[in-house]
Short mmCIF file of all heavy atoms in Angstrom, two decimals:
data_model
loop_
_atom_site.label_atom_id
_atom_site.label_comp_id
_atom_site.label_asym_id
_atom_site.label_seq_id
_atom_site.Cartn_x
_atom_site.Cartn_y
_atom_site.Cartn_z
N GLU A 656 -9.47 -31.21 -29.47
CA GLU A 656 -8.28 -30.46 -29.04
C GLU A 656 -8.61 -29.27 -28.15
O GLU A 656 -7.71 -28.61 -27.62
CB GLU A 656 -7.49 -29.99 -30.27
CG GLU A 656 -8.19 -28.93 -31.12
CD GLU A 656 -9.18 -29.50 -32.12
OE1 GLU A 656 -9.45 -30.73 -32.08
OE2 GLU A 656 -9.69 -28.71 -32.95
N SER A 657 -9.89 -28.99 -27.95
CA SER A 657 -10.29 -27.80 -27.18
C SER A 657 -10.36 -28.04 -25.68
O SER A 657 -10.62 -27.11 -24.92
CB SER A 657 -11.65 -27.29 -27.67
OG SER A 657 -12.70 -28.19 -27.34
N PHE A 658 -10.14 -29.28 -25.23
CA PHE A 658 -10.23 -29.55 -23.79
C PHE A 658 -9.20 -30.61 -23.40
O PHE A 658 -8.70 -31.37 -24.23
CB PHE A 658 -11.64 -30.01 -23.40
CG PHE A 658 -12.08 -31.31 -24.04
CD1 PHE A 658 -11.81 -32.53 -23.44
CD2 PHE A 658 -12.75 -31.30 -25.26
CE1 PHE A 658 -12.20 -33.72 -24.03
CE2 PHE A 658 -13.14 -32.49 -25.87
CZ PHE A 658 -12.87 -33.70 -25.25
N VAL A 659 -8.91 -30.63 -22.10
CA VAL A 659 -8.06 -31.65 -21.49
C VAL A 659 -8.95 -32.50 -20.59
O VAL A 659 -9.69 -31.98 -19.76
CB VAL A 659 -6.92 -31.01 -20.68
CG1 VAL A 659 -6.19 -32.05 -19.83
CG2 VAL A 659 -5.94 -30.31 -21.61
N LEU A 660 -8.86 -33.82 -20.75
CA LEU A 660 -9.70 -34.74 -19.97
C LEU A 660 -8.82 -35.74 -19.25
O LEU A 660 -7.93 -36.35 -19.86
CB LEU A 660 -10.67 -35.47 -20.89
CG LEU A 660 -11.62 -36.47 -20.21
CD1 LEU A 660 -12.56 -35.77 -19.23
CD2 LEU A 660 -12.43 -37.24 -21.26
N SER A 661 -9.06 -35.89 -17.97
CA SER A 661 -8.38 -36.95 -17.21
C SER A 661 -9.41 -37.95 -16.72
O SER A 661 -10.54 -37.60 -16.37
CB SER A 661 -7.59 -36.37 -16.03
OG SER A 661 -8.41 -35.64 -15.13
N THR A 662 -9.00 -39.21 -16.70
CA THR A 662 -9.78 -40.25 -16.05
C THR A 662 -8.82 -41.10 -15.19
O THR A 662 -7.66 -40.71 -15.01
CB THR A 662 -10.58 -41.10 -17.05
OG1 THR A 662 -11.54 -41.88 -16.33
CG2 THR A 662 -9.68 -42.01 -17.87
N LYS A 663 -9.33 -42.21 -14.68
CA LYS A 663 -8.55 -42.96 -13.68
C LYS A 663 -8.65 -44.45 -13.95
O LYS A 663 -9.58 -44.91 -14.60
CB LYS A 663 -9.05 -42.62 -12.27
CG LYS A 663 -9.02 -41.11 -12.00
CD LYS A 663 -9.52 -40.77 -10.62
CE LYS A 663 -9.47 -39.27 -10.39
NZ LYS A 663 -10.54 -38.57 -11.11
N ILE A 664 -7.67 -45.17 -13.41
CA ILE A 664 -7.70 -46.63 -13.46
C ILE A 664 -7.58 -47.15 -12.03
O ILE A 664 -7.25 -46.42 -11.11
CB ILE A 664 -6.60 -47.22 -14.36
CG1 ILE A 664 -5.19 -46.85 -13.85
CG2 ILE A 664 -6.78 -46.73 -15.79
CD1 ILE A 664 -4.59 -47.82 -12.86
N GLY A 665 -7.82 -48.45 -11.88
CA GLY A 665 -7.74 -49.07 -10.56
C GLY A 665 -8.98 -49.87 -10.23
O GLY A 665 -8.96 -50.75 -9.36
N ARG A 666 -10.08 -49.58 -10.94
CA ARG A 666 -11.30 -50.36 -10.81
C ARG A 666 -11.91 -50.53 -12.20
O ARG A 666 -12.00 -49.57 -12.96
CB ARG A 666 -12.34 -49.65 -9.92
CG ARG A 666 -11.91 -49.36 -8.50
CD ARG A 666 -13.03 -48.55 -7.86
NE ARG A 666 -12.83 -48.18 -6.47
CZ ARG A 666 -12.27 -47.05 -6.07
NH1 ARG A 666 -11.81 -46.19 -6.96
NH2 ARG A 666 -12.17 -46.77 -4.78
N TRP A 667 -12.31 -51.73 -12.54
CA TRP A 667 -13.15 -51.91 -13.73
C TRP A 667 -14.53 -52.36 -13.27
O TRP A 667 -14.72 -52.79 -12.15
CB TRP A 667 -12.53 -52.87 -14.73
CG TRP A 667 -11.96 -54.15 -14.19
CD1 TRP A 667 -10.65 -54.41 -13.92
CD2 TRP A 667 -12.67 -55.35 -13.87
NE1 TRP A 667 -10.49 -55.68 -13.44
CE2 TRP A 667 -11.72 -56.29 -13.40
CE3 TRP A 667 -14.01 -55.74 -13.93
CZ2 TRP A 667 -12.07 -57.59 -13.01
CZ3 TRP A 667 -14.38 -57.02 -13.53
CH2 TRP A 667 -13.41 -57.92 -13.08
N MET A 668 -15.51 -52.18 -14.16
CA MET A 668 -16.91 -52.40 -13.81
C MET A 668 -17.45 -53.66 -14.48
O MET A 668 -17.08 -53.99 -15.61
CB MET A 668 -17.76 -51.20 -14.24
CG MET A 668 -17.34 -49.87 -13.62
SD MET A 668 -17.58 -49.83 -11.84
CE MET A 668 -16.19 -48.77 -11.39
N SER A 669 -18.33 -54.34 -13.76
CA SER A 669 -19.08 -55.46 -14.33
C SER A 669 -20.54 -55.30 -13.94
O SER A 669 -20.86 -54.73 -12.89
CB SER A 669 -18.53 -56.80 -13.83
OG SER A 669 -18.52 -56.85 -12.41
N PRO A 670 -21.46 -55.79 -14.78
CA PRO A 670 -22.88 -55.57 -14.52
C PRO A 670 -23.36 -56.30 -13.27
O PRO A 670 -22.91 -57.41 -12.96
CB PRO A 670 -23.56 -56.14 -15.77
CG PRO A 670 -22.49 -56.26 -16.79
CD PRO A 670 -21.22 -56.48 -16.06
#
Side-chain angles (χ1 to χ4, degrees):
E656 68 276 7
S657 69
F658 62 89
V659 169
L660 180 63
S661 58
T662 193
K663 305 180 180 74
I664 61 89
R666 300 175 179 91
W667 46 261
M668 302 294 147
S669 55

